[in-house]
Amino acid sequence: MKETKQEQEKEISTEDKIKEAARKLFTQKGFDAVRTRDIAEEAGINLALLNYYFRSKQKLFDIIMLENFRKFLQLISGKLLAEGFTRDEKIEKLVELYIDMLIENPDLPLFILNEMRGNPSKLAMEIDSQTGVLRSNFFKEIQGDADGKIAGMEPLNFVANLIGLMVYPFAAKPILQWVTGVNDDEFNRIMQERKKLVPVWIKAIMQSSEGGREAASR
């Protein structure tokens, strides 16, 4: 028997309500501190109904993180493919968007690490579907121009450096806070500062990388 339009709208509304509640709690408390019962209460439904839509907290977390990651990939693709920006401006924009996304989704590195271990092909396909054109164009710019007037870097090194400088502080946040004694507000303030610092470091590494390749070729 076909569902009525009203029933379909109710089902969509309930599912969205659960995801919004879970997204809010995961962001506020982190994955480990949130119970499925907390999500049900935040969504204004009973636990049985939540389990009907989503089999587990992990399943719900994965769906939300994938949606957030997909939105981020679409966002950077649009920004970095836009005409009128230099390579350095694109790097600055990429860092700004990435750090903003990580501040808003502090558990995203956990999701990405789990996907890399458990289902790397799925994550790779998601990245490829959203940024294929972006990579082909942007990576050419990263490698510098043909006559060497603009310093470049191998794309693998560029991505590895970028992930290390941006993602690692969020993935290692509990350890970094324990070692340095900073609270959440101070941590976020420092991450905001890194929006300006990371592009400077990346450009310096690219200049150094180009100089190193020239020295090795002599």
Side-chain angles (χ1 to χ4, degrees), residues 147-149 151 207-218:
D147 57 13
K149 291 180 180 178
Q207 293 286 348
S208 176
S209 174
E210 181 65 18
R213 286 209 303 267
E214 289 177 358
S217 65
R218 290 180 189 143

Side-chain angles (χ1 to χ4, degrees), residues 119-154:
N119 198 353
S121 60
K122 177 183 176 183
L123 189 64
M125 288 175 63
E126 184 66 35
I127 294 172
D128 185 67
S129 68
Q130 302 293 337
T131 66
V133 175
L134 168 65
R135 292 201 317 275
S136 63
N137 293 331
F138 187 52
F139 281 0
K140 289 177 182 177
E141 296 181 58
I142 292 302
Q143 289 173 299
D145 60 4
D147 57 13
K149 291 180 180 178
I150 300 177
M153 178 185 290
E154 288 298 328

Side-chain angles (χ1 to χ4, degrees), residues 9-134:
E9 288 176 350
K10 181 180 179 181
E11 183 172 345
I12 293 171
S13 175
T14 301
E15 184 174 339
D16 287 344
K17 194 184 297 184
I18 293 170
K19 289 197 292 185
E20 187 56 39
R23 184 178 288 109
K24 176 182 176 181
L25 292 177
F26 286 144
T27 300
Q28 289 178 345
K29 300 181 179 181
F31 176 79
D32 291 334
V34 175
R35 304 173 302 167
T36 51
R37 187 176 300 279
D38 297 329
I39 298 171
E41 290 177 359
E42 180 69 28
I45 62 172
N46 60 54
L47 187 58
L49 188 58
L50 186 148
N51 290 330
Y52 170 78
Y53 282 95
F54 302 98
R55 295 191 303 273
S56 67
K57 182 179 78 167
Q58 184 66 54
K59 179 69 174 177
L60 181 54
F61 175 77
D62 289 348
I63 290 171
I64 290 171
M65 289 299 108
L66 184 59
E67 287 181 357
N68 290 348
F69 190 51
R70 185 179 292 128
K71 288 177 183 177
F72 167 70
L73 292 175
Q74 292 171 346
L75 179 62
I76 63 169
S77 293
K79 294 289 185 181
L80 299 187
L81 283 173
E83 296 181 3
F85 290 107
T86 66
R87 184 195 65 181
D88 287 351
E89 288 171 337
K90 290 179 180 179
I91 291 173
E92 291 168 4
K93 181 59 67 175
L94 174 59
V95 170
E96 179 185 350
L97 293 172
Y98 212 141
I99 290 179
D100 280 343
M101 185 267 297
L102 290 171
I103 290 174
E104 292 177 8
N105 301 276
D107 277 327
L108 188 59
L110 171 65
F111 163 74
I112 294 174
L113 288 172
N114 286 337
E115 287 294 298
M116 284 169 54
R117 285 197 300 264
N119 198 353
S121 60
K122 177 183 176 183
L123 189 64
M125 288 175 63
E126 184 66 35
I127 294 172
D128 185 67
S129 68
Q130 302 293 337
T131 66
V133 175
L134 168 65

Side-chain angles (χ1 to χ4, degrees), residues 143-192:
Q143 289 173 299
D145 60 4
D147 57 13
K149 291 180 180 178
I150 300 177
M153 178 185 290
E154 288 298 328
L156 189 147
N157 283 330
F158 173 79
V159 173
N161 286 324
L162 205 61
I163 289 175
L165 287 169
M166 290 195 299
V167 178
Y168 178 77
F170 289 91
K173 179 182 175 182
I175 297 175
L176 292 175
Q177 286 185 301
W178 182 81
V179 170
T180 62
V182 302
N183 59 29
D184 287 344
D185 290 340
E186 185 71 3
F187 179 86
N188 285 337
R189 182 190 65 76
I190 294 170
M191 292 304 104
Q192 291 288 350

